[in-house]
């Protein structure tokens, strides 16, 4: 029973620490300004949201997507990307080469995705690479 009480006191203190963070960021420089007197902008987080939305509109132009659903799909795409990149990196390491080519990506997709899904992914990837190299 003592642990929840300790959690409550730390939880009560945590928002105060978070409120002080922006002021702490600019402690080294006056007013949070950079070398030439410009303020630093927000650190951008890369997402796939605009691309997911574009694909959605290609497939179903009249359907929208909620922010929670978009977040779930974005996490899914990021996870699959990391898995494919990791597997292709391992394949390159095994073959003692330094460059990940489309061959490693294709092999990683075949290893990671099940059956029919892998076949469709490989055919779509091949189509995309062919279109890219021809233009």
């Amino acid at each position: 029973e003592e642990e929840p009480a300790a959690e409550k006191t730390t939880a009560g203190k945590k928002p105060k620490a978070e409120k002080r963070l922006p002021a702490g960021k600019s402690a080294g420089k006056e007013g949070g300004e950079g070398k030439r007197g410009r303020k630093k902008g927000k650190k951008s987080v890369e997402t796939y949201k605009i691309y997911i939305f574009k694909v959605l509109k290609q497939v179903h132009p009249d359907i929208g997507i909620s922010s929670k659903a978009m977040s779930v799909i974005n996490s899914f795409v990021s996870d699959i990307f990391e898995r494919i990149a990791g597997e292709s990196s391992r394949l390159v390491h095994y073959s003692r080469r330094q460059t990940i080519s489309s061959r490693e990506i294709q092999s990683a997709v075949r290893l990671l995705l099940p059956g029919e899904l892998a076949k469709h992914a490989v055919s779509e990837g091949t189509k995309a690479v062919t279109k890219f190299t021809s233009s």
Side-chain angles (χ1 to χ4, degrees):
E1 289 182 25
E2 291 177 23
E3 288 180 28
E7 287 177 15
K8 285 180 184 176
T9 56
T10 56
K13 292 180 183 176
K14 195 170 186 177
K16 290 179 183 176
E18 287 177 8
K19 287 179 184 175
R20 281 184 257 146
L21 278 175
K25 277 196 328 191
S26 62
K29 296 179 180 167
E30 296 172 24
E33 295 178 354
K35 290 180 184 176
R36 297 182 184 165
R38 288 179 280 160
K39 290 185 178 180
K40 288 186 181 179
K42 278 188 178 179
K43 187 178 178 185
S44 63
V45 179
E46 292 187 0
T47 65
Y48 299 99
K49 291 178 180 180
I50 57 169
Y51 310 107
I52 293 165
F53 194 78
K54 285 178 182 179
V55 170
L56 175 66
K57 289 301 165 188
Q58 283 179 352
V59 180
H60 294 287
D62 54 333
I63 294 179
I65 187 167
S66 70
S67 59
K68 272 192 175 181
M70 180 63 86
S71 180
V72 168
I73 299 295
N74 186 63
S75 297
F76 171 74
V77 172
S78 298
D79 181 53
I80 293 296
F81 174 80
E82 286 173 14
R83 288 186 196 190
I84 291 171
E87 189 62 42
S88 53
S89 174
R90 255 177 258 120
L91 290 168
V92 163
H93 185 75
Y94 296 153
S95 60
R96 294 180 182 167
R97 288 188 285 122
Q98 293 180 334
T99 309
I100 296 176
S101 68
S102 59
R103 188 169 183 256
E104 281 76 36
I105 301 294
Q106 192 177 89
S107 300
V109 166
R110 283 199 172 118
L111 287 166
L112 290 169
L113 301 180
E116 201 70 20
L117 191 58
K119 287 178 187 175
H120 284 290
V122 166
S123 69
E124 287 296 317
T126 305
K127 190 169 79 174
V129 169
T130 305
K131 184 180 175 184
F132 178 77
T133 52
S134 67
S135 62

